[in-house]
Amino acid sequence: MKKILLEAPVFNLTAALEAAEYGVNRIELCSNFPEGGETPSPGMLSLLKKEIDLPVFVMIRPRGGDFFYSEKEISIMKTDIQIHRDLGADGFVFGALDNSGYINERACEVLLRAAGDCPCTFHRAFDASRDLSLSLEVLIGLGFSRILTSGGKNTVTEGLSKIQELMKKAGERISIMPGGGSKVEHVIPLAESGYLQEIHASCKEWKKSENEFQNTDLKFSDEPKAFTHYLGLNEQMVKNFLEVLN
């Protein structure tokens, strides 16, 4: 089996440094894990480009929720792309739909132009679109490099057969990158298509923070570990993926 790239989403500095240390091939840099990922700070990218030597794809998403954005939100996304591109982003991850669930082609064209020569991933807004087969063809026509997808389902496990179908339809025209609860055992059946180039897997783990004090009368999040732990990467999970992918 040919070598397949491992991309991991990271939501903080420590996780990004762990990804580089553990051998992840590329990171998707995000903020705000509870919302599924939003645009990270320029300061974060600026520091990482000095600290690590692996490609950093930047999530461009101005808020959580749906993927139908106003003109002003698209303007924000365009500006964020320009800022992060100037700071050395290696690629971008974004997606936009219209209010009927179809790809917002005009918005995507604006954002792709802002990205210039940087490769762009259309994220799991794809899974929220009305017609996956139609969306596939539209995104190929627009010039995206890859589509991140769980096959229109909550997880890769549930959408596995659809992902395989999309890979066969896409062929060499665009990379279909499985993501959303990816597991090591998904690699072999997905690779059988002959078109698996990369896989997106969080390999996430809550790790104890170095913080030693907590006011037990105060809560900032519904996630019980959010104040005492950080969301990092599980080294063994990364190793397990790399063993199969390589």
Side-chain angles (χ1 to χ4, degrees):
M1 186 174 68
K2 64 181 181 181
K3 182 177 179 180
I4 298 165
L5 181 148
L6 174 64
E7 175 185 272
V10 297
F11 296 85
N12 56 69
L13 172 62
T14 306
L17 297 176
E18 289 175 349
E21 178 185 350
Y22 300 163
V24 169
N25 304 119
R26 183 176 70 222
I27 64 172
E28 178 195 71
L29 182 63
C30 314
S31 66
N32 203 350
F33 170 71
E35 288 287 357
E38 294 178 355
T39 307
S41 77
M44 174 80 84
L45 177 64
S46 179
L47 185 142
L48 284 177
K49 293 302 294 182
K50 300 171 185 174
E51 293 285 333
I52 63 177
D53 185 24
L54 76 165
V56 180
F57 279 22
V58 176
M59 170 69 77
I60 302 296
R61 189 175 175 216
R63 57 166 171 79
D66 63 44
F67 304 103
F68 174 56
Y69 300 116
S70 68
E71 291 294 326
K72 290 182 179 179
E73 287 174 320
I74 295 297
S75 178
I76 291 170
M77 295 168 76
K78 177 183 175 182
T79 301
D80 281 336
I81 288 175
Q82 292 168 335
I83 291 170
H84 285 85
R85 186 190 63 193
D86 290 345
L87 289 171
D90 297 284
F92 294 99
V93 183
F94 57 82
L97 304 178
D98 65 22
N99 61 358
S100 296
Y102 295 103
I103 304 297
N104 187 333
E105 296 184 53
R106 190 185 63 79
C108 288
E109 287 171 349
V110 168
L111 301 177
L112 286 164
R113 283 197 299 271
D117 294 333
C118 293
C120 295
T121 302
F122 194 95
H123 59 40
R124 290 181 65 202
F126 175 81
D127 293 320
S129 68
R130 183 181 290 270
D131 184 326
L132 299 190
S133 294
L134 175 60
S135 295
L136 170 65
E137 298 303 326
V138 170
L139 295 174
I140 291 171
L142 285 168
F144 280 88
S145 299
R146 63 187 53 76
I147 298 171
L148 173 63
T149 179
S150 57
K153 303 293 184 181
N154 287 321
T155 66
V156 171
T157 298
E158 297 172 72
L160 188 63
S161 61
K162 185 64 176 180
I163 297 171
Q164 292 169 318
E165 176 188 324
L166 289 165
M167 284 181 167
K168 291 176 182 177
K169 285 183 178 180
E172 301 288 349
R173 296 181 297 161
I174 194 170
S175 173
I176 300 296
M177 181 169 63
S182 296
K183 299 179 180 179
V184 172
E185 53 263 35
H186 294 143
V187 174
I188 299 301
L190 288 168
E192 288 175 352
S193 70
Y195 296 115
L196 181 65
Q197 301 177 37
E198 49 204 341
I199 192 165
H200 177 97
S202 65
C203 302
K204 64 180 180 293
E205 177 185 17
W206 285 104
K207 295 183 175 181
K208 187 72 173 66
S209 167
E210 294 182 8
N211 179 54
E212 296 180 355
F213 172 75
Q214 180 184 7
N215 181 347
T216 56
D217 294 326
L218 189 64
K219 185 173 74 169
F220 290 103
S221 169
D222 290 333
E223 167 54 58
K225 292 184 177 180
F227 196 71
T228 57
H229 292 65
Y230 72 91
L231 194 60
L233 270 66
N234 181 299
E235 184 175 8
Q236 189 58 54
M237 290 178 67
V238 172
K239 286 182 177 179
N240 292 345
F241 266 104
L242 292 176
E243 286 176 5
V244 176
L245 296 175
N246 296 328

